Amino acid sequence: MVSRPITCHHNKAFRGVFETVYYPSLYCSPAVMANTDGNQISYTDLKALLEKSQNLFIVDVRTKEEIDKGRIPGSIHVPVDTVETAFALDAAEFQAKYGVAKPSLDAPELVFHCQMGRRGQLATDKAIALGFQSARNYTGGYKEWSEKEGK
């Protein structure tokens, strides 16, 4: 078996440190290692989508206490630990629970975010695993949003 190097974003990400490990690894699951630039979105791109898109679906995965301090306009709240369950619901159950239509698996503008990017990426990876292949993570999170929006 040949091991290949990958960048791992396990618990060291809390300190802003990333390391290269060799897969298979005891420290990282494939879901955590799935982070690629292709499933991320910048502040500029998200802002542009907010201004022009009718199909943008933003999911805030922070805690209720964090959301009470501010949120990105139009976002719905689905805590990170419930993303898998929420997005596995059928359309009627999702609508009843969250008050909005569930995005389709091929929804082109499904964006997850948290405070700084880590939980948003976990949620994005869970959504991709459920079949939402175009899901993206707003890597700057609410921290960057609030700084740039002056909130």
Side-chain angles (χ1 to χ4, degrees), residues 69-125:
K69 296 175 185 172
R71 66 189 315 160
I72 295 175
S75 63
I76 69 160
H77 180 222
V78 180
V80 68
D81 60 342
T82 66
V83 165
E84 202 164 17
T85 304
F87 282 85
L89 293 172
D90 68 35
E93 292 173 314
F94 191 93
Q95 172 83 39
K97 183 164 182 138
Y98 298 102
V100 295
K102 179 181 174 182
S104 63
L105 290 175
D106 62 352
E109 297 167 351
L110 174 59
V111 177
F112 293 86
H113 83 88
C114 61
Q115 186 68 23
M116 295 173 57
R118 184 184 160 293
R119 291 172 290 170
Q121 187 62 53
L122 290 173
T124 302
D125 291 343

Side-chain angles (χ1 to χ4, degrees), residues 38-150:
N39 66 3
Q40 297 178 356
I41 188 169
S42 68
Y43 167 82
T44 304
D45 292 339
L46 181 58
K47 183 81 172 166
L49 281 176
L50 267 170
E51 292 172 0
K52 71 174 181 144
S53 177
Q54 299 295 327
N55 300 316
L56 180 59
F57 197 95
I58 305 174
V59 182
D60 191 329
V61 300
R62 298 176 300 154
T63 65
K64 180 177 179 340
E65 294 76 24
E66 289 173 300
I67 287 180
D68 287 345
K69 296 175 185 172
R71 66 189 315 160
I72 295 175
S75 63
I76 69 160
H77 180 222
V78 180
V80 68
D81 60 342
T82 66
V83 165
E84 202 164 17
T85 304
F87 282 85
L89 293 172
D90 68 35
E93 292 173 314
F94 191 93
Q95 172 83 39
K97 183 164 182 138
Y98 298 102
V100 295
K102 179 181 174 182
S104 63
L105 290 175
D106 62 352
E109 297 167 351
L110 174 59
V111 177
F112 293 86
H113 83 88
C114 61
Q115 186 68 23
M116 295 173 57
R118 184 184 160 293
R119 291 172 290 170
Q121 187 62 53
L122 290 173
T124 302
D125 291 343
K126 288 178 183 184
I128 290 170
L130 287 169
F132 295 89
Q133 294 304 309
S134 296
R136 292 184 279 175
N137 175 35
Y138 169 36
T139 54
Y142 187 74
K143 181 179 188 303
E144 178 183 58
W145 182 269
S146 61
E147 289 168 358
K148 293 193 180 228
E149 295 293 308

